[in-house]
């Protein structure tokens, strides 16, 4: 199955056709699809009306530099800012991270979108794509925040997606632009990068997004193309050394440079699905036609994503009347300013429209 990107603020006739294709399971929205809260609500309604099948609508609304919707939405600080508070008062930091998750998820659900691909549980160890999107370099700290963030998203009626499995934060390369290889053994990864994923799965996260990183001591192909990583380790039985995950598995975007390892668009789609991904992200409109053509002859099980559909969200009127929202905004305000100041001093890299 495919989760596809769209080109602009309104559906084109060609995009309307894409949404009716049996292999199209959902849509991911970006800043290019957003002009205002009212406009994106109209786009969401148009997508819903384009097909009688329930489509999974997604976005990356992490906060910080990866926040696709801004005007009319809360300014969400990047996750890195929580660590300094954690060092002073761990309980307060975890409680505020849970509120960050609730606020983000509540606003996205009020918009009619099912999920934001969050939280990032990669370690903050200098990767150019991750940067201040990570909570911390310490796996135990990230694990604690993973539990809190998953709980906050669930409270708002949204499923949680742990990314980028099995850990993108400990390599330097940005896989949007470069191939990335992590030379560590599986035992080393278990002791570090995998710990937050274990914690998030135990907390009930329903989805995982794969990394386009290769770990040659474990498998020769990037993790999203690897049956060993997906079937053997992520979904493998705990008794056999696996994580016991039973939810949905997403690829990262197939147009990223590191995804080219599998070959052309059709080869990338098939390699992800053959390895065990439930859905493949096709974020750039110029490759959607080719990706849909690659699905010919494959059986698409849209029920695999049915459990991810949002449920029970209040509309914007109810959310705007909820005193919790401005209270959380105020508490996050100081943290947001701290992160902006730190980012300016460090010259943090800016992730593009696909993250």
């Amino acid at each position: 199955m495919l989760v596809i990107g769209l080109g602009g603020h309104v559906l084109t006739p060609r995009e309307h056709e894409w949404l009716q294709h049996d292999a199209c399971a959902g849509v991911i929205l970006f800043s290019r699809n957003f002009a205002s809260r009212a406009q994106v609500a109209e786009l969401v309604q148009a997508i819903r009306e384009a097909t009688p099948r329930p489509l999974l609508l997604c976005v990356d609304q992490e906060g910080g530099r990866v926040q696709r919707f801004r005007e009319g939405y809360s300014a969400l600080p990047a996750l890195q800012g929580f660590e300094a508070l954690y060092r002073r008062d761990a309980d307060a930091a975890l409680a505020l991270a849970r509120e960050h998750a609730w606020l983000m998820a509540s606003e996205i659900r009020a918009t009619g979108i099912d999920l934001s691909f969050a939280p990032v549980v990669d370690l903050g160890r200098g990767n150019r794509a991750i940067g201040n999107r990570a909570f911390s370099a310490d796996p135990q700290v990230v694990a604690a925040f993973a539990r809190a963030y998953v709980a906050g998203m669930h409270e708002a009626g949204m499923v949680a997606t742990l990314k980028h499995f099995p850990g993108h934060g400990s390599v330097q390369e940005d896989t949007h632009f470069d191939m990335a290889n992590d030379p560590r053994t599986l035992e080393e990864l278990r002791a570090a990068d995998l710990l937050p994923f274990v914690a998030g799965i135990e907390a009930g996260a329903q989805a995982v997004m794969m990394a386009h990183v290769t770990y040659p001591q474990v498998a020769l192909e990037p993790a999203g193309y690897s049956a060993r990583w997906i079937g053997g380790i992520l979904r493998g039985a705990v008794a056999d050394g696996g994580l016991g995950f039973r939810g949905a598995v997403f690829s990262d975007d197939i147009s990223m440079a590191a995804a080219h390892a599998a070959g052309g668009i059709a080869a990338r789609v098939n390699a992800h699905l053959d390895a065990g991904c439930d859905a493949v992200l096709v974020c750039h409109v110029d490759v959607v036609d080719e990706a849909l053509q690659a699905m010919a002859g494959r059986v698409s099980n849209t029920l695999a994503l049915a459990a991810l559909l949002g449920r029970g969200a209040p509309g914007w009127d109810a959310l705007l009347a909820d005193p919790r929202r401005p209270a959380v905004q105020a508490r996050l305000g100081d943290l947001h300013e701290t992160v902006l100041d730190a980012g300016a001093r460090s010259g943090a890299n800016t992730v593009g429209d696909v993250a």
Side-chain angles (χ1 to χ4, degrees), residues 20 51 87 97 269 304:
Q20 297 179 61
T51 173
R87 298 303 178 188
V269 169

Side-chain angles (χ1 to χ4, degrees), residues 114-234:
D114 297 297
L115 66 87
S116 169
F117 286 118
V120 170
V121 296
D122 301 300
L123 304 184
R125 296 185 172 179
N127 178 265
R128 291 191 287 270
I130 302 303
N132 66 2
R133 299 164 69 192
F135 284 110
S136 172
D138 185 330
Q140 295 292 351
V141 173
V142 179
F145 277 116
R147 297 184 192 97
Y149 209 90
V150 169
M153 292 180 70
H154 287 173
E155 187 180 357
M158 180 182 288
V159 301
T161 305
L162 309 174
K163 61 184 188 183
H164 306 80
F165 185 84
H168 196 312
S170 297
V171 294
Q172 294 299 305
E173 294 83 6
D174 181 344
T175 51
H176 294 87
F177 308 110
D178 298 298
M179 307 294 284
N181 289 276
D182 190 324
R184 291 174 297 166
T185 66
L186 179 57
E187 289 69 27
E188 290 174 304
L189 291 161
R190 286 189 191 279
D193 298 62
L194 286 179
L195 290 178
F197 290 95
V198 172
I201 291 168
E202 290 175 348
Q206 297 94 334
V208 166
M209 182 182 290
M210 302 301 296
H212 286 315
V213 178
T214 302
Y215 310 82
Q217 294 293 325
V218 183
L220 296 180
E221 57 279 312
Y225 297 142
S226 170
R228 185 178 185 203
W229 273 116
I230 299 173
I233 299 171
L234 177 59

Side-chain angles (χ1 to χ4, degrees), residues 9-10 37-47:
H9 296 164
V10 296
R37 200 168 70 198
Q39 169 272 322
V40 81
E42 291 176 1
L43 177 58
V44 166
Q45 182 177 355
I47 294 168

Side-chain angles (χ1 to χ4, degrees), residues 14-329:
R14 186 61 179 145
E15 290 168 345
H16 194 279
E17 293 179 10
W18 291 345
L19 298 181
Q20 297 179 61
H21 195 291
D22 288 343
C24 180
V27 170
I28 179 169
L29 299 179
F30 290 94
S31 57
R32 66 178 184 259
N33 306 117
F34 179 80
S36 68
R37 200 168 70 198
Q39 169 272 322
V40 81
E42 291 176 1
L43 177 58
V44 166
Q45 182 177 355
I47 294 168
R48 297 288 188 201
E49 293 174 351
T51 173
R53 292 182 292 111
L55 294 178
L56 186 72
L57 301 192
C58 316
V59 69
D60 291 308
Q61 189 82 344
E62 302 169 14
R65 67 186 194 272
V66 183
Q67 180 169 340
R68 308 308 187 195
F69 304 162
R70 294 189 179 272
E71 181 184 351
Y73 291 78
S74 299
L76 299 167
L79 301 184
Q80 184 185 66
F82 286 97
E83 184 175 27
L85 177 58
Y86 183 89
R87 298 303 178 188
R88 299 194 303 270
D89 187 336
D91 290 341
L94 295 173
L96 188 56
R98 179 169 177 155
E99 293 288 79
H100 184 293
W102 172 84
L103 180 61
M104 177 278 293
S106 294
E107 292 185 346
I108 294 302
R109 289 292 301 118
T111 307
I113 293 172
D114 297 297
L115 66 87
S116 169
F117 286 118
V120 170
V121 296
D122 301 300
L123 304 184
R125 296 185 172 179
N127 178 265
R128 291 191 287 270
I130 302 303
N132 66 2
R133 299 164 69 192
F135 284 110
S136 172
D138 185 330
Q140 295 292 351
V141 173
V142 179
F145 277 116
R147 297 184 192 97
Y149 209 90
V150 169
M153 292 180 70
H154 287 173
E155 187 180 357
M158 180 182 288
V159 301
T161 305
L162 309 174
K163 61 184 188 183
H164 306 80
F165 185 84
H168 196 312
S170 297
V171 294
Q172 294 299 305
E173 294 83 6
D174 181 344
T175 51
H176 294 87
F177 308 110
D178 298 298
M179 307 294 284
N181 289 276
D182 190 324
R184 291 174 297 166
T185 66
L186 179 57
E187 289 69 27
E188 290 174 304
L189 291 161
R190 286 189 191 279
D193 298 62
L194 286 179
L195 290 178
F197 290 95
V198 172
I201 291 168
E202 290 175 348
Q206 297 94 334
V208 166
M209 182 182 290
M210 302 301 296
H212 286 315
V213 178
T214 302
Y215 310 82
Q217 294 293 325
V218 183
L220 296 180
E221 57 279 312
Y225 297 142
S226 170
R228 185 178 185 203
W229 273 116
I230 299 173
I233 299 171
L234 177 59
R235 286 182 165 146
V238 174
D240 297 328
L243 275 63
F245 181 64
R246 292 292 176 265
V249 177
F250 290 88
S251 80
D252 208 339
D253 177 38
I254 61 169
S255 290
M256 293 166 63
H260 293 200
I265 296 300
R268 296 174 219 170
V269 169
N270 286 309
H272 278 302
L273 296 174
D274 290 344
C277 288
D278 295 297
V280 177
L281 294 188
V282 186
C283 299
H284 289 271
V285 294
D286 58 346
V287 298
V288 171
D289 276 314
E290 191 174 353
L292 289 169
Q293 292 167 13
M295 295 297 292
R298 296 196 76 112
V299 177
S300 296
N301 177 19
T302 55
L303 292 178
L305 303 186
L308 306 184
L309 295 171
R311 293 177 176 82
W316 269 107
D317 289 344
L319 183 59
L320 291 173
D322 188 341
R324 183 177 178 183
R325 181 173 182 262
V328 174
Q329 289 174 325

